[in-house]
Amino acid sequence: MTLPDHISIWAELADVDHELLHVDVGGVRTRVLRAGSGPDLVLLHGTGGHLEAYARDIAGLARDFRVTAYDMVGHGWSDLPDLPYTVDVLSDHLLGTMDALGIGSAHLSGESLGGWVVAWTAAHHPDRVERLVLNTPGNIANKPEVMARVRDSTLAAVRTPDDATVRRRVEFLFHHTEMVTDELVNLRRAVYARPGFGTAIGNTVVLQDPVVRKDFAWTPSWVGRITAPTLLLWTEHDPTGGLDEADMLLEWLPDARLRVIADAGHWPQWEKVDEYLAVHRAFLSAQDLP
């Protein structure tokens, strides 16, 4: 019998040397996973997520880079201080995590909310960013219906973290929902069931409030300040933003190119691992995209 491509998160990491640790970032206990050697590459997950979003990619990326994945403040198993996790707060936490790990500058690759945070960081702290990957950053046009969908589905899953509601939230990320495993659902249920996580997720979805969001919304005024070479990694079936929004960023960014991954949703790093790895390896090494 042929083994499936994916067995479990642990199996994805079974043959790669790595360390899982917690570092203090300005008083925030922050969970970090590191692997590999070479130029630094930092990976950021999305809203309500955690570092396991990259479980299928870490071994492949670690062949070429010193990979750091971590739980953003208020996410995963990092601390949950009671304050709004606006993009500037998440960016400061990213920089603090890099400082705690001795990383001066790095390639940054962020998915969804993580893409928003790395873009903001590149605009405001260009000396800390080598190259930038914006992976399905979503809703560049700040559409109210997308903001409501992300907010409502996330809050519903956290308020009632049973199998059905959390599975529905995780399936939102996939084009091929049959790839959503019980392990992935239960992992997220464990995060959502943490004491204090109800308050934390309220502090996260403030970014889906138009009044709060306006101070950080994607606009040419700050996006145009990004000087790092940037890869826009889009997919054919992202529920949070279409190619028209990628075209907006292409106009605003001084040095950007677009790659569209076919047959994938909001998590190409899980659904299309080989292509995700190949484009990262090529772009971050300043080679032509495959």
Side-chain angles (χ1 to χ4, degrees), residues 26-236:
V28 174
R29 188 171 185 261
T30 300
R31 190 175 69 126
V32 175
L33 188 150
R34 309 197 81 190
S37 60
D40 278 296
L41 167 61
V42 183
L43 306 171
L44 280 75
H45 58 75
T47 297
H50 37 86
L51 61 83
E52 284 83 358
Y54 294 102
R56 303 199 68 192
D57 316 294
I58 288 170
L61 292 171
R63 298 183 190 122
D64 299 284
F65 305 100
R66 183 167 66 169
V67 181
T68 298
Y70 73 101
D71 293 342
M72 291 193 285
V73 58
H75 288 74
W77 279 272
S78 288
D79 275 352
L80 315 171
D82 188 6
L83 73 166
Y85 307 134
T86 48
V87 172
D88 56 341
V89 169
L90 297 172
S91 176
D92 287 345
H93 181 246
L94 162 62
L95 295 173
T97 302
M98 291 170 64
D99 290 342
L101 297 170
I103 301 174
S105 65
H107 301 309
L108 303 181
S109 178
E111 179 264 333
S112 193
L113 173 60
W116 196 358
V117 174
V118 298
W120 184 270
T121 303
H124 295 85
H125 303 277
D127 56 316
R128 305 299 300 269
V129 183
E130 300 296 330
R131 285 182 167 241
L132 192 63
V133 181
L134 308 184
N135 173 13
T136 61
N139 203 13
I140 307 304
N142 307 298
K143 296 175 180 173
E145 64 273 20
V146 175
M147 295 160 61
R149 192 185 317 151
V150 172
R151 182 191 62 234
D152 294 347
S153 64
T154 303
L155 289 176
V158 173
R159 287 169 177 163
T160 309
D162 59 26
D163 182 88
T165 56
V166 176
R167 186 174 297 277
R168 193 156 47 244
R169 177 63 177 83
V170 177
E171 287 182 348
F172 172 76
L173 307 170
F174 284 72
H175 178 54
H176 287 280
T177 55
E178 71 276 10
M179 297 181 72
V180 175
T181 64
D182 291 344
E183 179 193 39
L184 200 51
V185 172
N186 286 330
L187 192 64
R188 186 149 305 203
R189 288 182 66 191
V191 171
Y192 288 177
R194 287 185 64 196
F197 200 80
T199 300
I201 203 64
N203 285 322
T204 298
V205 297
V206 295
L207 287 168
Q208 309 306 326
D209 179 332
V211 175
V212 176
R213 188 185 182 98
K214 67 179 175 54
D215 290 337
F216 310 98
W218 297 88
T219 64
S221 63
W222 66 267
V223 174
R225 294 165 51 187
I226 296 174
T227 56
T230 302
L231 172 64
L232 306 181
L233 193 55
W234 241 253
T235 68
E236 287 184 334

Side-chain angles (χ1 to χ4, degrees), residues 250-267:
L250 281 174
E251 288 187 11
W252 300 346
L253 286 160
D255 184 1
R257 66 285 291 146
L258 171 67
R259 176 59 176 259
V260 180
I261 295 181
D263 198 35
H266 200 53
W267 267 27

